[in-house]
Amino acid sequence: MIGRQRSTPGYAAVSRWFAAAALAALFLADLHVTSLNPWADLQRLLAGLIRPDLLSVEGWSVVYTVAFAVLGVTCGAGTGFLLAIPFARFRSIRLLCAGLRAVHELFWALLLMQVFGLSATTGILAIALPYAGICAKVYSEIIEEADLSALRVLPEGTGSVSAFLYARLPEVAGSFRHYTLYRFECAMRSTLVLGFIGLPTMGFYLESAFRQGRYAEAGALLLVFYALIGSRRLWVRVGSVPVLIAASALALPATIGTTNVGASLLRFLTHDVVPAPLRGASLLDPETLPRLWAWFVPILTGQILPGAVQTLVLAQIALVATALGALVLFPLVSRRFSGRFGSPAGRVLLVVLRSTPEYMLAYVLLQMLGPSMLPAILALSIHNAGIIGYLMGRHADALPYRADAPRGLNLYAYETVPRLYGQFLAYLLYRWELILRESAIFGILGVATLGYYVDAAISELRLDVAVVLIAATAAMTVAVDAASRALRTALRINTLPTRLADPVTGPPPAPARA
């Protein structure tokens, strides 16, 4: 027993490991600021937010942003629900879902564009595929944690389908609804980002406005997007969902670039993504495997390994910066620290931070600070600190304090943070996989992560190389997810709520049932 306790890491030990890893990563990171006057760009952006040109907003871009999100979540959540039922029993289902959710929406979109062009199908599937894997995992956890008392009163001989529909589904329907609504908010951010690669969403016009210095137009687009996110609960309701789905399907844009999807798909699967040495070659030929190895080695040594190192460096620094940011920000949300009037203002600030997509924020910071890893680190840290800080502030308000509890800094350092630290680590370890996933795509902006090499390979129409690089990114994400789950189990915080299922207005989520 004593030996087992000594071998189990504690909160402090794990925190020191991550901090030391981030400190070591700083020596490998490019954090230079190359812009001559970043404050001038920031002032122009703030001026655009204060005096937005609302008349310049393209109305159809708002419609397409909502339509892609609605249909993407509908397809993804529906598929995820079907996969969640056998998820716990079949390893093949779990591996399939892990692979789907490990590939970022932007990477899915870049691949799907080779088949479907700049079309609605590309936008919807780019969201639906990873969301199917994400929803399957979360829905399965919700089902497993549900109260089983209703099952015990069912008549003997009740079929498994009937038992699920009448005894388990009513128990989990509320949690499903809350999580799916949160996924819709995430899909809105994802859809906005898809515009940066050419799809006709708000992101397309936002990228164009930033690139051309039209900050009043960019400010207007941002404010409209924040209004969509902030008013989500007013227009996304159970009764309005069928209307939204039907209207979204009718409002989709026309296909651009591809007219023969069947031929494009066949060529994509049988030629484009097949490694060049295997095209037209026989696996029985003794020269085939050496040629394949000779083709793969330069990709491994020249792209996968350096890209993976830079991705891990970026993710590790951003994770620790997120932790520090969340510890600083969560008192802004808590009434205990900010008071009755300060807390609502803090909540608005953190909702804005977490509603701003990391990719878009990195793009803006890149214009201000110049090309380096710093904009990506700041973007990841700001976004994720906003998410975790918001949730931690709500948890702080739910803590029962003694009547003689200290105030101010003593209350923060000696009473609140120690009691919340397990939940704090649970959220951080949950976001670790997501931060790594986002770190990879910043290569599209010029940071030398794996996404940089993926973007280069797709630009050169070397789709076989791109698929290998995306597979390497997915493998890294799955490995970090496994490490995160192992740490949560070792720290005995694996049962704490980490799904962020309803983080806007609802009460703090209750701990998961054993």
Side-chain angles (χ1 to χ4, degrees):
M1 177 68 70
I2 295 175
R4 182 181 303 174
Q5 288 177 348
R6 288 179 178 174
S7 64
T8 302
Y11 294 171
V14 171
S15 300
R16 286 194 297 268
W17 294 346
F18 278 92
L23 184 62
L26 284 173
F27 292 98
L28 302 175
D30 175 16
L31 304 177
H32 293 92
V33 176
T34 58
S35 176
L36 296 178
N37 194 352
W39 296 113
D41 291 327
L42 178 60
Q43 289 172 359
R44 285 194 288 270
L45 175 59
L46 293 177
L49 288 171
I50 294 172
R51 295 188 296 274
D53 183 6
L54 293 173
L55 295 179
S56 67
V57 175
E58 173 59 44
W60 279 107
S61 70
V62 180
V63 173
Y64 295 152
T65 300
V66 174
F68 285 172
V70 168
L71 296 176
V73 170
T74 300
C75 296
T79 305
F81 174 75
L82 296 178
L83 293 172
I85 298 173
F87 186 92
R89 297 193 301 272
F90 294 98
R91 184 179 180 84
S92 58
I93 298 294
R94 294 196 297 273
L95 290 175
L96 171 64
C97 293
L100 289 174
R101 69 176 182 267
V103 179
H104 194 277
E105 298 91 290
L106 269 182
F107 288 155
W108 279 119
L110 290 172
L111 290 177
L112 292 166
M113 282 170 57
Q114 313 306 313
V115 178
F116 301 104
L118 286 171
S119 69
T121 305
T122 296
I124 293 169
L125 289 180
I127 295 171
L129 289 172
Y131 279 35
I134 294 169
C135 288
K137 177 185 176 182
V138 174
Y139 290 166
S140 174
E141 291 174 353
I142 293 174
I143 292 171
E144 291 301 313
E145 295 165 3
D147 188 358
L148 302 180
S149 58
L151 289 175
R152 291 191 284 269
V153 299
L154 291 176
E156 292 187 10
T158 302
S160 57
V161 175
S162 297
F164 177 80
L165 291 177
Y166 291 102
R168 305 201 74 177
L169 187 58
E171 174 72 20
V172 301
S175 298
F176 279 11
R177 181 175 65 254
H178 289 314
Y179 186 77
T180 305
L181 288 175
Y182 172 67
R183 272 293 123 197
F184 174 72
E185 179 183 327
C186 297
M188 292 278 287
R189 294 197 296 266
S190 299
T191 305
L192 180 77
V193 170
L194 292 179
F196 282 71
I197 61 171
L199 289 171
T201 67
M202 294 172 68
F204 177 82
Y205 297 92
L206 192 61
E207 191 268 345
S208 176
F210 277 127
R211 188 177 61 248
Q212 299 178 30
R214 302 195 308 269
Y215 290 104
E217 179 182 342
L221 286 163
L222 284 174
L223 291 176
V224 170
F225 181 73
Y226 292 142
L228 284 174
I229 296 292
S231 63
R232 170 178 63 86
R233 291 178 176 274
L234 300 178
W235 51 276
V236 182
R237 297 174 175 271
V238 175
S240 66
V241 166
V243 176
L244 283 173
I245 293 173
S248 298
L250 293 173
L252 292 175
T255 299
I256 301 173
T258 299
T259 56
N260 192 342
V261 173
S264 298
L265 181 61
L266 181 63
R267 177 178 175 83
F268 180 79
L269 295 176
T270 61
H271 180 270
D272 293 346
V273 300
V274 176
L278 298 183
R279 295 171 186 167
S282 172
L283 293 177
L284 300 178
D285 186 348
E287 297 297 323
T288 299
L289 291 181
R291 285 199 298 267
L292 181 63
W293 179 248
W295 171 82
F296 176 71
V297 167
I299 300 173
L300 175 65
T301 58
Q303 300 181 52
I304 293 178
L305 291 180
V309 168
Q310 293 298 307
T311 302
L312 289 170
V313 165
L314 174 54
Q316 189 61 39
I317 298 173
L319 180 67
V320 173
T322 293
L324 297 175
L327 290 174
V328 170
L329 290 174
F330 88 78
L332 300 179
V333 178
S334 173
R335 284 193 174 190
R336 193 70 156 174
F337 295 97
S338 298
R340 182 178 179 182
F341 299 104
S343 175
R347 293 187 179 212
V348 170
L349 172 63
L350 266 63
V351 166
V352 169
L353 293 182
R354 72 175 184 82
S355 299
T356 306
E358 304 99 307
Y359 187 90
M360 189 205 76
L361 188 55
Y363 179 87
V364 174
L365 291 171
L366 194 69
Q367 313 305 311
M368 298 180 181
L369 304 176
S372 75
M373 199 176 282
L374 183 59
I377 292 172
L378 290 175
L380 284 168
S381 305
I382 291 170
H383 175 81
N384 288 284
I387 292 176
I388 297 177
Y390 193 101
L391 293 166
M392 295 304 294
R394 289 169 54 224
H395 279 285
D397 279 341
L399 289 176
Y401 290 99
R402 306 188 316 270
D404 61 342
R407 296 182 179 276
L409 185 59
N410 287 333
L411 178 67
Y412 173 87
Y414 297 108
E415 184 78 13
T416 305
V417 171
R419 295 171 67 183
L420 291 179
Y421 206 75
Q423 181 65 73
F424 171 68
L425 286 179
Y427 283 133
L428 276 178
L429 291 172
Y430 176 80
R431 298 300 301 181
W432 188 16
E433 171 201 357
L434 303 177
I435 287 174
L436 180 78
R437 188 169 169 265
E438 294 290 336
S439 297
I441 68 163
F442 287 136
I444 299 175
L445 295 176
V447 183
T449 61
L450 278 166
Y452 176 82
Y453 300 101
V454 172
D455 187 51
I458 291 178
S459 299
E460 297 168 3
L461 297 181
R462 295 183 294 127
L463 299 183
D464 52 342
V465 177
V467 168
V468 170
L469 294 169
I470 291 174
T473 305
M476 283 181 57
T477 305
V478 171
V480 167
D481 180 41
S484 172
R485 283 187 281 109
L487 274 176
R488 293 201 300 269
T489 301
L491 293 170
R492 298 185 178 90
I493 57 175
N494 53 308
T495 59
L496 293 175
T498 54
R499 297 189 202 97
L500 318 182
D502 191 18
V504 181
T505 62
R513 281 185 285 269

